[in-house]
Amino acid sequence: MKHKYIIGLLALALMSGCESTLDLSPVSSVSDESYWKTPEQYETFMTGLHSRLRTHAYTFNVLGEFRSDIYGEQSYAGTNLVNERYHLNTLNAEFTGETNYGGFYSNINQINLLISKTISTSLISKSEKDYYLGQAYGMRALYYFHLLRSWGDVVIHKTPSASFKLDELSKPVSPAAEVMTFIKQDIDSSAVYFSTNYSFKSKVAWSKAATLMLKADAYLWSSRQMGGGTADAAIAKAALSDIQTNVSALGLLPNFKDVFAYGNKRNKEIVFAIHNALNEYTMFGGSYIAFMPRAVSTPNYLDSVTRGPITTSTHLLITVGGGFYIPIYRSVFWRFSNEDSRKLASINGAYRLEAGKYVLAPGLWVNKYQGVMNLGNREFVDDYPIYRYADLLLMLAEAKAILGENPANEINLVRQRAYGVNYKAAVHGYPNQPGDLDINEALLKERFFEFICEGKRWYDLRRFGKSYVFKYTTAKSDYQLLWPIDRATLTNNRALKQTPGY
């Protein structure tokens, strides 16, 4: 069979040391007749898979965060009747938020093709073959983990299809339990192929450490949501301990803001990130500007902390666009302690003076990704973290809590970095903050402060249980825990059925 596919081909450009980055090259269309002929083509194809993964970063963020309690304040420029459906949780069969399962199956099909070709080839060495397969199985598991958490029952697709389209499968979904089993199998396959290779070709290339982080993530979900209990929590803990034992170069940076600095990419805290770069690819494919205020929307406003003037030279403003398109809830700002460095590193806002008082007026915006100024414009080309060391610590704390062990060490390492010189163990340390006596609430709060704008909050609330979803978000019914399927996808694949409740 001739497998037709279109994939963004990229070249690996060497950076300092052993680091590498992904450079965008023109899209090419190739077939089996002209491909899979040299070792370089396998490497290029794997690079292309990472490029396609990058195009899904915005969808990862939408699925993992938009329906939670972060975004949704009415904007200075007025509400957006489309985007408000996310935070109001008024998605329905007509507006599903995401279509065609986020477009994930297209890249899953490409991963299937790489797996098939790599297993059967004799063109590359065993070590190269094992490394590519370790990456491929890990990345496929990542896609399916997003599908599982968002739609529950989904189609399992394991073999490459010619001219792939989801509707050509004409295949029903598999139950969520089977999907989770498939995810675990892929994670295990990835780990087996990586074997003892814990190296990073680059922090923006999938690695064994990324597979182990995903393993912990998936098993914690299985522990809480799918009856895995303490057995799965123990597996999650072991995966995280494996990283700590064998990847000694990872750790927390002293300054929280430095984790996201454009000039400090792929630092020791990053386990895996989506790569973006100036004159190559903009964060979220350019959609990140939707989080930024327009310069003309903030005349005569002051910075939320310094109370100094807001200008295009000192703040994350854009000179074009629709103003406060996806603003952050004002309440988010006040949930942080002023002593917590994550507050100003993650979000900022515009104030004005009214009747002698400073009032938060236009709204809040994401401050985590600073980008760079280029020819008078701010370019949002920061890397987007998928997994970092703080996540390892807080997942390890969660696994310990499920197992009845003391999570204080891991929680307090994160808090010590957050509070810096302000940190006082008796005040800020676990279990001394208000709410710490409920470990679930303590973990959710810490993850909220740590990972705002990293696409995790909705997933966190879902993992801990629907009662937390109903408590913190506008979703109040069981059916709202999942996403609806768009009509076009249902029409094209008659074997599919709408998500119950929609």
Side-chain angles (χ1 to χ4, degrees), residues 430-451:
Y430 177 85
N432 300 319
Q433 288 193 22
D436 276 356
L437 294 182
D438 184 329
I439 183 56
N440 285 349
E441 290 286 5
L443 287 168
L444 281 172
K445 180 177 69 173
E446 210 60 46
R447 292 185 63 85
F448 177 81
F449 293 150
E450 186 72 22
F451 300 117

Side-chain angles (χ1 to χ4, degrees), residues 39-54:
E40 291 75 19
Q41 289 176 326
Y42 284 83
E43 181 177 3
T44 298
F45 197 91
M46 176 54 73
T47 305
L49 290 180
H50 283 84
S51 174
R52 292 169 69 97
L53 182 73
R54 175 169 63 181

Side-chain angles (χ1 to χ4, degrees), residues 56-71 86-87 89 91 96-98 101-102 104 142-143 145-151 217 221 284 291 326 368-369 384-387 391 444 447-448 450-464 469 472-473 480-483:
H56 291 137
Y58 182 71
T59 302
F60 293 160
N61 186 266
V62 170
L63 294 174
E65 194 163 270
F66 271 29
R67 296 175 65 190
S68 69
D69 51 344
I70 295 175
Y71 308 105
Y86 293 106
H87 72 268
N89 279 286
L91 301 176
T96 59
E98 288 296 323
Y101 291 104
F104 294 162
L142 177 69
Y143 276 113
F145 192 40
H146 279 287
L147 288 167
L148 170 73
R149 291 178 294 178
S150 300
W151 287 276
D217 209 354
W221 184 278
F284 295 159
F291 297 88
I326 310 176
K368 216 166 213 178
Y369 311 108
Y384 181 62
I386 301 299
Y387 289 120
D391 204 3
L444 281 172
R447 292 185 63 85
F448 177 81
E450 186 72 22
F451 300 117
I452 278 180
C453 312
E454 295 183 51
K456 296 183 184 290
R457 178 61 171 176
W458 173 261
Y459 286 150
D460 285 346
L461 294 171
R462 287 272 288 110
R463 182 176 71 255
F464 276 72
V469 177
Y472 287 103
T473 79
Q480 293 174 307
L481 300 175
L482 297 174
W483 292 66

